[in-house]
Amino acid sequence: MKRTIILLLVSLLVGITHLANAHPGSGIAVDRQGNVYFVDTGSGVWKIEPNGALTKIQGPAYHWMTIDHDGQLQSATLPHFSQGDATVTRADANPALLLSSDFPISVGPNGDLYYPWRTDGQALQLFRQFPSGTTGVLKTLPAATESGALHWLNGLATGPDGSIYYTENRAVRKISQGKTLTTVVENVMLPGCDSVPGVGPDLGPYFRGLDVDAQGNIFVAATGCRAVFKIAADKSIATVLRTSSPWSPTGVAVSGNDVYVLEYLHTPGDNRSEWLPRVRKLTSDGRVITLASIDRRSGTQSE
């Protein structure tokens, strides 16, 4: 009987992981030299240089990515879990890129790695791994929120002050340096929210990748609404980007006054080769510039 219960719990966890991963990736990052890196869930990792050159980087076709600017985690053993083969690994890049198969990750200003994980039969927890390799629980998250049962997180980011921000389907929440959990916004709905294949109305705006600028403004991909929101310190929300079908944002990265947006061509089903990514830059003066687009249908890439 005990063995049966354990197997059921593991099966449930694997099923949840599969559901959480049945979507295009949201990993995008910018280094201090202005190079943009993004995840292509159909083939791997790409790099866009400031001159516009697009090159492929050796790395797995995972969902989430973060950047370790100072390489403080270079020698640390990265997390790996047997359930669902969840793991964090390094890409062949300098500065160091970390990619995650099953859960969002973020590296803080001090080189700490943050990631969520659920132990069998327990609530979801947010872990912190120091560059030394020491790991501990930063925060045990609520088993359920106003948005429903909390099985996983959609996105994770570290603010300039070391606070942690994460997304659920309908909410953005924050964990302060003092480990206090607060809600930034919740139950947000954009008028005229467009439908996206694979994203049901029960998911609301379906918040995914997010980032925080030096002033504390939060930029978040509202995948279910084909939009990017800017959430100011007073929690006011502005739509800074709208996309047209079949494209929808999945992740964002802030560099200076510019916002880089990873978008995917959303198609019904779970065929990763049909999830085609592009990257656009939203400038401080409101211009939207396409930096790269991957099109495996013709076997070419465009810049």
Side-chain angles (χ1 to χ4, degrees), residues 15-294:
I16 289 173
T17 298
H18 173 74
L19 178 61
N21 287 344
H23 53 61
S26 59
I28 183 170
V30 185
D31 68 19
R32 291 167 180 161
Q33 285 69 49
N35 298 297
V36 181
Y37 307 85
F38 66 96
V39 167
D40 176 356
T41 316
S43 69
V45 182
W46 296 90
K47 173 184 177 181
I48 310 170
E49 298 179 25
N51 63 8
L54 179 67
T55 56
K56 190 76 179 296
I57 289 179
Q58 185 175 354
Y62 284 167
H63 287 78
W64 289 275
M65 179 172 64
T66 187
I67 190 166
D68 181 11
H69 286 285
D70 298 316
Q72 296 188 63
L73 288 160
Q74 286 283 17
S75 60
T77 300
L78 298 174
H80 174 81
F81 303 92
S82 59
Q83 299 102 321
D85 294 326
T87 188
V88 177
T89 189
R90 296 176 178 86
D92 184 13
N94 184 21
L97 295 177
L98 305 183
L99 293 113
S100 170
S101 60
D102 287 56
F103 43 77
I105 55 177
S106 181
V107 172
N110 297 324
D112 302 338
L113 173 66
Y114 297 90
Y115 62 93
W117 187 248
R118 177 193 298 278
T119 305
D120 289 348
Q122 310 225 352
L124 190 65
Q125 294 179 308
L126 186 64
F127 288 82
R128 174 170 59 189
Q129 177 176 311
F130 297 96
S132 64
T134 302
T135 302
V137 175
L138 178 73
K139 187 78 174 180
T140 297
L141 304 180
T145 69
E146 296 90 336
S147 301
L150 186 61
H151 296 304
W152 58 81
L153 303 183
N154 297 342
L156 196 66
T158 310
D161 66 347
S163 297
I164 307 300
Y165 298 79
Y166 67 84
T167 54
E168 303 169 12
N169 293 339
R170 297 174 177 270
V172 178
R173 307 193 197 275
K174 173 184 176 181
I175 301 173
S176 69
Q177 292 187 78
K179 302 184 181 181
T180 300
L181 175 62
T182 57
T183 297
V184 179
V185 296
E186 188 172 51
N187 292 327
V188 177
M189 184 51 65
L190 178 68
C193 184
D194 197 4
S195 62
V196 176
V199 181
D202 57 306
L203 299 181
Y206 190 31
F207 289 133
R208 294 197 59 203
L210 75 166
D211 204 359
V212 186
D213 69 13
Q215 291 72 45
N217 298 301
I218 303 166
F219 294 84
V220 58
T223 302
C225 292
R226 303 187 190 276
V228 173
F229 291 163
K230 176 184 177 181
I231 307 171
D234 63 0
K235 300 187 179 182
S236 60
I237 301 174
T239 302
V240 295
L241 182 68
R242 295 292 297 265
T243 63
S244 301
S245 178
W247 296 96
S248 187
T250 63
V252 297
V254 178
S255 180
N257 294 321
D258 297 326
V259 180
Y260 296 82
V261 183
L262 174 61
E263 301 173 344
Y264 269 88
L265 188 156
H266 279 257
T267 58
D270 195 17
N271 186 346
R272 295 188 177 198
S273 66
E274 295 181 355
W275 295 341
L276 304 177
R278 73 179 181 186
V279 173
R280 296 199 293 170
K281 180 171 74 170
L282 177 62
T283 66
S284 57
D285 59 4
R287 291 179 297 138
V288 180
I289 303 170
T290 299
L291 301 182
S293 182
I294 308 299

